[in-house]
Amino acid sequence: MSFPRRSARTRRFTLGRPRGLRVAADGSRVAFLRSTAGDDPLHSLWVLDVADGRERLVADPRVLLGGGPEDVPQAERDRRERARESATGIVTYGADRHLRTAAFALSGQLFVADLVDGDVRGPLPAPGPAVAPWPAPSGGRIAFVCGRSLHVGEADGTHRRLAPTGPDADDAAVSWGLAEFVAAEEMGRLRGFWWGPGGERLAVGRVDESPVPAWYLANPADPASPARRVAYPAAGAANADVALLVVGLDGATTEVAWDRSSFPYLARVG
C-alpha cells in the first residue's frame, strides 16, 4: 500500500494510538482515548490501573449508541473542525481532579462514567443536544453547554440552566460557555467554561457575535440543504465581543474586568 493511502487510512498515523491522557491526582489511574486499530476511527474511553498495568475498556460508543451511526450536533461539528479532529466516537472528555468521574457526549447525548468501577450512566436528561461536558473537581456535578447556554446537572439527574439570565436568554447572537471562532481556530482554546477548585463557581466565557459579519456556507455533500449562516470574522472585519464572568451555583455573577477594547482576545483561563 502506498504511503499516501496509508496516511489517509490511518488519519495521518493517529488511529490506534493513545491520546487525551489524564492522570489521577494520586497517580493510581490513567484515563485515555484509543481506537481498536490503526484503521479504525472510532475512539473509546479506557483506563490504565497503574498498580497492575491492566487496561480496562470503560466506554465503547458501539455499545452506547446501539451500533447506530453518530448524529453529531452542529456545535460539536464546529469544535471538531477547529480542532482538526478527524476521529469519531469519544473524541474528548472531561474528568474530575481525582479521575474518578469522566463525562462525555455522544450524538449530543450526555454520559457519565465511573472510572473506578467502570459503570457508565446515560444518556442523562438534557434540554437538547449537549456538548463539552465537564465534571466539577469533586465529580458530583456536570456542567455542559446546550444550545447557547451553560447548564449544570446534579448527581440525582436533575439539571438547570446556569447562564445566561436576563436579556441574554433570548439573544441568538450571544452564547455562554463556547469558544468563539478566533479563540478556537487561532489560539487553540476549545473550551468556554472552567470549574473553580471548590466546585461552587465557574468562570464562563460570554460571546456576543452581533458585530461579526455573516457568511452563508452551503454543504457540497448535501446540495439540497439550505446554506448555513455563520458568524465569520474575516480579515479586517469585527471580531466577537468576548467577556469572562464568574458565575456561582447560587446565581451570583461577577464580571472579570479588563480593558477589552485594547486587549480583545481571551486566550487562556486558569
Side-chain angles (χ1 to χ4, degrees):
M1 189 183 296
S2 67
F3 176 85
R5 190 174 295 276
R6 286 181 184 271
S7 179
R9 287 190 64 181
T10 61
R11 311 287 169 92
R12 301 180 302 279
F13 301 98
T14 61
L15 302 181
R17 183 174 73 184
R19 49 175 279 194
L21 284 83
R22 292 193 175 92
V23 182
D26 61 2
S28 62
R29 288 179 300 282
V30 179
F32 60 94
L33 304 174
R34 188 177 62 198
S35 63
T36 59
D39 57 357
D40 176 17
L42 192 70
H43 280 63
S44 301
L45 177 62
W46 295 74
V47 167
L48 168 70
D49 294 317
V50 174
D52 57 10
R54 183 170 62 97
E55 293 181 356
R56 295 183 282 115
L57 175 59
V58 175
D60 184 347
R62 294 178 177 87
V63 175
L64 297 176
L65 295 178
E70 277 192 276
D71 182 14
V72 182
Q74 185 62 53
E76 174 62 11
R77 289 201 295 270
D78 292 343
R79 190 202 67 80
R80 293 185 186 189
E81 181 181 342
R82 300 284 81 79
R84 304 301 188 267
E85 179 63 71
S86 59
T88 59
I90 306 172
V91 298
T92 185
Y93 67 100
D96 69 326
R97 180 187 303 115
H98 301 288
L99 210 64
R100 298 191 184 108
T101 302
F104 57 90
L106 279 173
S107 292
Q109 300 178 93
L110 182 63
F111 294 88
V112 175
D114 187 320
L115 300 180
V116 178
D117 61 23
D119 287 343
V120 178
R121 294 186 292 121
L124 301 180
V131 297
W134 204 282
S138 63
R141 298 183 174 97
I142 307 293
F144 60 94
V145 177
C146 186
R148 305 177 74 85
S149 305
L150 180 69
H151 294 251
V152 172
E154 302 289 344
D156 61 3
T158 61
H159 61 84
R160 59 192 174 97
R161 185 170 70 179
L162 190 64
T165 58
D168 277 2
D170 299 317
D171 193 336
V174 176
S175 65
W176 288 67
L178 293 173
E180 80 281 9
F181 178 92
V182 170
E185 179 71 22
E186 309 295 349
M187 303 176 191
R189 176 172 67 79
L190 299 170
R191 296 180 61 186
F193 67 87
W194 301 263
W195 281 100
E200 297 297 322
R201 298 186 299 169
L202 299 98
V204 187
R206 176 190 182 273
V207 176
D208 182 358
E209 293 181 322
S210 57
V212 183
W215 283 32
Y216 295 86
L217 306 180
N219 181 3
D222 185 10
S225 64
R228 184 169 66 95
R229 186 185 188 279
V230 177
Y232 179 64
N239 288 322
D241 180 21
V242 182
L244 183 69
L245 298 96
V246 176
V247 182
L249 297 179
D250 58 359
T253 301
T254 304
E255 183 172 356
V256 180
W258 74 89
D259 183 359
R260 302 214 309 268
S261 61
S262 298
F263 303 98
Y265 301 120
L266 180 64
R268 295 286 184 271
V269 176

